[in-house]
Amino acid sequence: MSHDSDYFYDKAKKQGYRSRASYKLLQIHEKFHIFKKNQEVVDLGASPGGWTQVASEKVGNNGLVIAIDKAYIPPLNLKNVDILQMDIMNETISEYLKERYGLIDVLLSDCAPNVSGKWSLDHSIQIMLAERAIKIAEDILKDEGWIVVKVFQGEQFANFVSYAKKVFTTVKLFKPQASRKRSAEIYLIANNKS
Ligand SMILES: C[S@@+](CC[C@H](N)C(=O)[O-])C[C@H]1O[C@@H](n2cnc3c(N)ncnc32)[C@H](O)[C@@H]1O
């Protein structure tokens, strides 16, 4: 583990965040000002809950964070968080969310497959998850809403970015300092503001 990764791991432990990934979202917010008080946020691939904790703080008591993962998310005991154990590939997810929560302000996806070690397989699955997040955003995000999606850079990356540009007017790519330098991950941040 590099010095860099130890630093954010230790910091997360000290500050009570469930994962070092929390700092990636904090750094994304610092740059793009994604969150406002009282918003409704959907957090896809939320386990163990580091991003959910950050979003919960940012939207405040009158906001809501809907944390979704196919894996178990241990209870966070936060009043403004709903936890759902669901697979985002399930075709009925948008309909379910729209019916229960209406349109939302921010869609986050830090989804990643369990790494198999076969790079092209892992990359393909990760791109499929990222595309799925955009599809869900098309279904449930308010017109002026924001999306933040993890994506692995590889052979399908350019096509994915082109697809995002067809859906959103403003598309940015950002690698937070807390993201390990050797990791292929980068975050796509988009909305429909000019
Ligand atoms: C890098 S972790 C997320 C870390 C989280 N953002 C945090 O801050 O604690 C990626 C997550 O994506 C989830 N995931 C992968 N495929 C999924 C799917 N099809 N549906 C829902 N969650 C999925 C995994 O179960 C895993 O928990």
Side-chain angles (χ1 to χ4, degrees):
M1 214 181 263
S2 68
H3 169 74
D4 177 46
S5 56
D6 287 340
Y7 172 76
F8 287 110
Y9 177 83
D10 292 345
K11 196 167 169 175
K13 275 202 142 178
K14 275 191 205 121
Q15 296 192 324
Y17 287 128
R18 283 203 176 158
S19 69
R20 64 190 298 292
S22 293
Y23 297 99
K24 300 179 199 172
L25 187 58
L26 283 166
Q27 288 163 6
I28 289 167
H29 176 64
E30 206 172 294
K31 186 161 172 74
F32 295 97
H33 312 289
I34 309 282
F35 301 111
K36 292 193 177 60
K37 291 287 174 208
N38 309 335
Q39 285 176 326
E40 272 192 9
V41 177
V42 165
D43 181 11
L44 303 175
S47 186
W51 277 29
T52 303
Q53 289 174 298
V54 169
S56 158
E57 284 163 18
K58 297 294 175 196
V59 301
N61 290 339
N62 297 321
L64 179 66
V65 184
I66 302 135
I68 300 175
D69 205 294
K70 66 177 183 180
Y72 176 67
I73 306 174
L76 280 154
N77 300 320
L78 294 169
K79 285 206 169 77
N80 64 352
V81 172
D82 279 1
I83 290 179
L84 305 174
Q85 191 164 8
M86 291 176 112
D87 187 325
I88 71 157
M89 299 312 291
N90 183 329
E91 291 289 333
T92 62
I93 193 168
S94 294
E95 210 181 293
Y96 175 82
L97 292 173
K98 204 149 63 170
E99 209 161 280
R100 186 157 164 191
Y101 300 104
L103 295 179
I104 56 130
D105 302 286
V106 180
L107 187 124
L108 307 173
S109 175
D110 197 27
C111 279
N114 290 330
V115 177
S116 73
K118 290 190 184 120
W119 161 250
S120 64
L121 176 66
D122 295 340
H123 175 56
S124 294
I125 298 174
Q126 208 287 319
I127 292 281
M128 184 184 76
L129 292 166
E131 283 176 353
R132 186 79 187 116
I134 293 201
K135 178 71 189 66
I136 295 170
E138 287 187 272
D139 294 336
I140 68 167
L141 198 59
K142 289 180 185 166
D143 287 344
E144 67 281 15
W146 284 87
I147 178 166
V148 177
V149 189
K150 186 212 287 283
V151 60
F152 286 178
Q153 297 171 87
E155 58 276 21
Q156 297 178 48
F157 176 66
N159 276 349
F160 172 74
V161 176
S162 303
Y163 166 52
K165 284 184 174 165
K166 286 191 191 121
V167 178
F168 296 100
T169 51
T170 305
V171 172
K172 308 269 185 207
L173 295 168
F174 180 62
K175 188 164 175 82
Q177 203 207 343
S179 174
R180 291 185 174 100
K181 286 187 189 67
R182 65 175 183 278
S183 153
E185 79 178 4
I186 192 163
Y187 289 87
L188 181 139
I189 294 131
N191 67 16
N192 282 320
K193 289 177 195 156
S194 48

